[in-house]
Amino acid sequence: MEIRPEVLERLLSEDDGRLWETIRRVAVMNNITLPSTPPPHSDMEKLRALLRSGALGYEDAMRILQKNGQGDQP
């Protein structure tokens, strides 16, 4: 999945709660369940930095989320 840079930047500029909700929706589409509560702000900032750098692709992100995706049903 390719995300246009301007769309990604707009998404990453959202507050933690809205960004996390978007991440959860994408995770659900990939059969991954994540907690409803966003991670701490410091972790969200690390995620933003990784996504902005291009060092973390969609497939890598889904793999990480699936590996660590324990939590509430969406």
Side-chain angles (χ1 to χ4, degrees):
M1 170 185 248
E2 186 67 31
I3 300 175
R4 295 190 326 258
E6 63 274 10
V7 173
L8 179 61
E9 191 53 43
R10 188 174 64 233
L11 174 64
L12 296 177
S13 68
E14 296 286 350
D15 65 57
D16 289 353
R18 290 194 67 175
L19 174 57
W20 186 246
E21 188 56 37
T22 301
I23 291 170
R24 288 184 71 226
R25 288 179 188 172
V26 172
V28 165
M29 291 187 307
N30 288 276
N31 298 316
I32 301 168
T33 302
L34 296 174
S36 58
T37 304
H41 180 71
S42 60
D43 289 345
M44 293 297 291
E45 286 302 309
K46 289 176 190 175
L47 176 61
R48 284 183 176 93
L50 279 170
L51 290 169
R52 281 189 178 111
S53 74
L56 184 65
Y58 174 77
E59 290 82 12
D60 295 327
M62 285 296 103
R63 199 169 17 259
I64 289 168
L65 290 173
Q66 192 163 30
K67 180 178 167 189
N68 296 305
Q70 301 299 320
D72 302 332
Q73 289 294 327

